[in-house]
Amino acid sequence: MSPRRARRRESSRPFGFPTGLDKVEEWADGEWKVRMLTGASSAKDYRCPGCDQEIRRGQPHLVAWPNWAGGDEERRHWHPACWRKRLDRGPGRSRY
């Protein structure tokens, strides 16, 4: 008897599309919507506002924006470590 093969369910979402929901995080600088992205969903290179280094295509990272009306215009792509440490930066750097 041969083993059964697992059937994969066809998804209506394109490959690399984020499957999780946005989560809201509360920080000292306000509420932020945060979305984790896999490397497969990155279509271009971005610059992290925390360290000013490139986030290359295919590298997992996150997108964060303020949780207010029109805040999605302020979306920024971050390295996860830079996002967690952003409040520790000195006064000369923007926080987002």
Side-chain angles (χ1 to χ4, degrees):
M1 182 160 66
S2 63
R4 297 174 93 185
R5 289 189 179 195
R7 291 185 186 183
R8 294 190 178 175
R9 186 173 52 156
E10 292 294 321
S11 175
S12 61
R13 295 177 183 218
F15 180 73
F17 189 83
T19 57
L21 299 174
D22 302 334
K23 62 181 178 176
V24 177
E25 296 183 3
E26 291 186 35
W27 289 77
D29 59 347
E31 285 188 354
W32 296 84
K33 286 188 181 178
V34 178
R35 178 184 300 157
M36 294 299 296
L37 297 176
T38 64
S41 63
S42 300
K44 62 180 189 174
D45 295 341
Y46 298 97
R47 184 155 307 270
C48 175
C51 64
D52 204 32
Q53 300 296 313
E54 278 190 353
I55 301 173
R56 296 207 177 264
R57 261 175 266 160
Q59 184 177 5
H61 63 283
L62 62 87
V63 179
W65 62 97
N67 189 24
W68 64 62
D72 56 342
E73 306 265 337
E74 301 291 328
R75 285 185 302 181
R76 300 290 181 265
H77 295 254
W78 293 76
H79 293 112
C82 295
W83 173 250
R84 288 189 306 267
K85 302 290 275 176
R86 75 187 188 287
L87 296 179
D88 297 338
R89 278 185 283 171
R93 297 283 304 211
S94 169
R95 294 188 187 250
Y96 66 94

